[in-house]
Amino acid sequence: MSFVGSGTAPDQPVRGRPRSEAVERAILEGTMKLLEDGVPLAEISIERIARTAGVGKATIYRRWSGKEELFVDVLRTAEPQDPEQLPGTSMRDDLIVLLESLRQRGLANRSSAILHNVHAQMKSSPKIWAAYHNSVILPRRRAGVEVLRRGQQNGELRADLDVELVNDIIVGPMLVRAVLRPEADLPEDLAERIVDTLLAGLRPVN
Amino acid sequence: MSFVGSGTAPDQPVRGRPRSEAVERAILEGTMKLLEDGVPLAEISIERIARTAGVGKATIYRRWSGKEELFVDVLRTAEPQDPEQLPGTSMRDDLIVLLESLRQRGLANRSSAILHNVHAQMKSSPKIWAAYHNSVILPRRRAGVEVLRRGQQNGELRADLDVELVNDIIVGPMLVRAVLRPEADLPEDLAERIVDTLLAGLRPVN
Amino acid sequence: MSFVGSGTAPDQPVRGRPRSEAVERAILEGTMKLLEDGVPLAEISIERIARTAGVGKATIYRRWSGKEELFVDVLRTAEPQDPEQLPGTSMRDDLIVLLESLRQRGLANRSSAILHNVHAQMKSSPKIWAAYHNSVILPRRRAGVEVLRRGQQNGELRADLDVELVNDIIVGPMLVRAVLRPEADLPEDLAERIVDTLLAGLRPVN
Amino acid sequence: MSFVGSGTAPDQPVRGRPRSEAVERAILEGTMKLLEDGVPLAEISIERIARTAGVGKATIYRRWSGKEELFVDVLRTAEPQDPEQLPGTSMRDDLIVLLESLRQRGLANRSSAILHNVHAQMKSSPKIWAAYHNSVILPRRRAGVEVLRRGQQNGELRADLDVELVNDIIVGPMLVRAVLRPEADLPEDLAERIVDTLLAGLRPVN
DNA sequence: ATGTAACCGAGACGGTACGTCGTGTCTTCAT
DNA sequence: ATGAAGACACGACGTACCGTCTCGGTTACAT
């Protein structure tokens, strides 16, 4: 369950009593429960998590080295299912699907008011942020850039543009709304509107 | 120095020794120093700030009700000077100036590695976030929307677009780079490239 | 209140809030209470003492470096008043007075069932034992040896005997009863009987 | 002969693997080793004993109910062989032999610095102390009192003395030196000197 | 000049949480 | 059944901060 890679340990025969999966679940779900109940992040101590889950502190420290590592796992457990099969019919459709999945994440977060805090918290601990970045953010970014490359080859996207920058341009508005502007709403057709607006350009047609 | 309102206290005759401004500066600058030295945010306690500034804890609590309020003031002290006179020659030029000021902020933050953390931290405390949002973010947003409205009247911007959404589209890519993707760099012509790309649209010219 | 010497600190102006004597008493008496209530020594944790005395743990650690140092002070606080003016009328009378004070200690200990445990505990920590030895045991021993020396000069004690050994002989039986044989009782005339028996010798008169 | 019961175990067919005596020895000797190496008693945990002996904790708990029971066994294993045939030639000689065995114990203890601690520790756990008292101390005490009774019948000891008290008087000085005054030495002729001094009395012969 | 009231540094105070360790019990695989 | 290993709930360890409080001492105004 460690969030950092896994790669099938090199054999290591089981010695002693194995760790209980039930306990593992109890900890993750107990933490989730606290978050959902609106307990401020600063008041969620390892001690309290242990009490909530009916578990000894050592049992938590045996699995995670601290609060931050634990939160990363909680966050990943709660993340909506990762990317999906892209339709592949056109660059436009693919981009809309990608943006739509971002919107779903924003909605899920909002509804429970949970992940915002955890996300913010992670940014202040570089190691954890790096782990989260590598395992969650980067893969999506790569998917986006790939779609854009194919678009350039198809002639759907201007060939002279820097795909990295274009990716920021596409993803930016949705992130701003979902992460930085929690007061804004995320209407159903938002992904489509953003993509079409960007494709057409802001300048009047003629 | 309270960040919430100010409006010149109604009268209150000064009795007893007045608060030392030197002490006030020492606290703010001491905190700044810790941030600049790369001390992780979580390790910056009121106790440590007091030690660093050579000041009693009570002296800090006399001015701020807690760590969060203090950080807001530190952040505001360190912010680059707020917006500027817009050229007004065209919507394009105005947008570039606004984006460029955002870029400057990103650079300043990066160079000292300070504000990232503080920004992230603030997000987990709703009251503080609201204060920061109202005093720093909202004014800039309003300026941006105003520029876009003028653009629609001038015929520089398609009249059928939602200016709020367009503002997110313009500001989004810069924020993504400055706040969420600290690993990306912010080249000098970035503001210009973003605006021109957006105006022209992503689709090939013909 | 440190048990190790005192010698009037060289001046040291008081800085910060002074330590509360009331708190000091609360801790010592709280510990005493636990001992009197028959709580096994092993179950008396610093944590529990703090709870009993209504005090923070740090407040205890500020005064004593650990459980052992604290117990020494508790023990010394509870000790019956140290020796007394010796009558000086004869070696026999002086020895009886010294032994009687030992008997009193044994009785006090027994009645509350306190000090036995603490005494035993101290033996397993050499530093503490040394401190207790120097401040409590040694002075009494010196007083005894002094009395015996005067006895040799007066002709009340055989001049060929080693006063150190004689002291052990006199003090021994009382200690055995008071410390090692808690089941034995300590009748009122015990000191007198021991001294007279020793002076006369065990052999039948003739 | 009787078909009912027997002295030895009442039949109980051995099922499963029998307990290893080697393991039993490893535990006792491992504990002894720790004591000999001067590890403070408070730092000798069951956990550490198990590590030292290369044994699982459960294996220890299967044999002893806790640290105290284990220590009693360690102590008894290490005790010099219990009393001996008394010469019986005279009360004086018998007393000297008894005292000498006490002195040997004191020397053994001292040389390894072991039993002091264990002895002290036992005093704080009444159940264990009772066990030790009954199995080690009481038999010796009874032997001593018996010798004194014979002495009274022989006319070697004044008939008007309380033999219990006399026993304390004889045993006291040696115990004081061996148990309470570890800094004192125990010269070879100590037993003889004590007995002769007591028999003759402290008063000058004149 | 002298109150007097708020300031200041220092540090004690009752708490809570930290991360580690030892307790005695349990569960697993292997002998 | 025994044995080594180690997970488990529990609770104490000694330290660090929290936010409040009490000290001795210092300004700076109002008398």
Side-chain angles (χ1 to χ4, degrees), chain C:
Chain C
M1 248 303 163
S2 162
F3 70 92
V4 87
S6 47
T8 51
D11 201 6
Q12 201 171 3
V14 181
R15 304 265 281 163
R17 176 174 175 178
R19 295 193 185 159
S20 156
E21 288 185 36
V23 163
E24 190 122 353
R25 272 195 309 274
I27 295 169
L28 289 171
E29 283 167 18
T31 310
M32 203 61 182
K33 179 99 172 23
L34 288 174
L35 258 356
E36 280 168 1
D37 290 356
V39 179
L41 195 62
E43 291 180 17
I44 301 188
S45 55
I46 292 277
E47 202 120 32
R48 184 161 179 182
I49 292 173
R51 252 178 284 142
T52 303
V55 139
K57 276 198 293 177
T59 301
I60 296 179
Y61 283 110
R62 220 171 271 131
R63 286 151 218 268
W64 297 277
S65 77
K67 197 155 44 174
E68 296 172 334
E69 267 89 351
L70 171 54
F71 279 151
V72 176
D73 267 14
V74 170
L75 188 54
R76 289 174 65 238
T77 302
E79 283 281 334
Q81 275 323 316
D82 224 33
E84 53 292 312
Q85 214 58 24
L86 292 177
T89 51
S90 70
M91 183 187 79
R92 175 183 175 275
D93 294 348
D94 286 354
L95 290 175
I96 289 175
V97 167
L98 287 174
L99 271 193
E100 177 62 15
S101 107
L102 224 48
R103 192 180 72 97
Q104 294 296 343
R105 272 218 286 168
L107 286 176
N109 295 356
R110 187 109 27 110
S111 68
S112 54
I114 296 175
L115 302 178
H116 253 119
N117 280 337
V118 180
H119 176 266
Q121 182 71 7
M122 281 196 314
K123 288 226 48 191
S124 25
S125 108
K127 282 171 54 177
I128 306 306
W129 173 256
Y132 183 71
H133 186 263
N134 288 335
S135 73
V136 176
I137 297 182
L138 247 183
R140 303 194 176 212
R141 180 163 193 87
R142 274 201 263 265
V145 168
E146 185 52 33
V147 165
L148 293 173
R149 283 229 172 79
R150 277 203 302 269
Q152 286 186 318
Q153 290 165 357
N154 295 350
E156 290 182 87
L157 179 65
R158 280 168 51 187
D160 60 324
L161 295 177
D162 173 3
V163 284
E164 294 283 343
L165 179 57
V166 173
N167 194 67
D168 288 346
I169 286 176
I170 289 172
V171 142
M174 191 65 86
L175 278 186
V176 167
R177 293 217 166 184
V179 176
L180 297 179
R181 287 183 56 213
E183 77 283 1
D185 59 334
L186 304 176
E188 265 190 42
D189 63 344
L190 188 57
E192 198 172 354
R193 278 169 58 202
I194 291 173
V195 171
D196 287 337
T197 304
L198 289 173
L199 286 175
L202 305 177
R203 233 192 302 264
V205 192
N206 64 352

Side-chain angles (χ1 to χ4, degrees), chain D residues 74-145:
Chain D
V74 171
L75 187 55
R76 301 211 0 253
T77 302
E79 280 283 333
Q81 273 323 317
D82 224 35
E84 53 292 311
Q85 214 57 24
L86 291 178
T89 52
S90 70
M91 181 187 81
R92 175 182 175 277
D93 294 349
D94 286 354
L95 290 176
I96 290 175
V97 166
L98 286 174
L99 270 194
E100 177 61 15
S101 107
L102 224 48
R103 191 180 73 96
Q104 295 296 344
R105 271 217 288 166
L107 286 176
N109 295 356
R110 186 108 29 109
S111 68
S112 55
I114 296 175
L115 301 178
H116 253 119
N117 280 336
V118 181
H119 176 266
Q121 181 71 7
M122 280 196 317
K123 289 226 44 193
S124 19
S125 101
K127 282 171 54 179
I128 306 306
W129 174 254
Y132 183 71
H133 186 263
N134 288 334
S135 73
V136 175
I137 297 181
L138 248 185
R140 303 194 177 213
R141 181 163 193 87
R142 274 202 263 264
V145 168

Side-chain angles (χ1 to χ4, degrees), chain D residues 20-32 53 63-64 77:
Chain D
S20 153
E21 287 186 37
V23 163
E24 190 123 353
R25 272 197 309 276
I27 295 168
L28 289 171
E29 282 168 20
T31 311
M32 202 60 182
R63 285 152 218 268
W64 296 275
T77 302

Side-chain angles (χ1 to χ4, degrees), chain B residues 16-38:
Chain B
R17 175 176 174 179
R19 292 192 185 160
S20 155
E21 287 186 37
V23 163
E24 191 123 352
R25 271 196 310 275
I27 295 168
L28 289 171
E29 283 167 18
T31 309
M32 202 61 182
K33 180 93 170 29
L34 288 173
L35 258 356
E36 280 169 1
D37 290 356

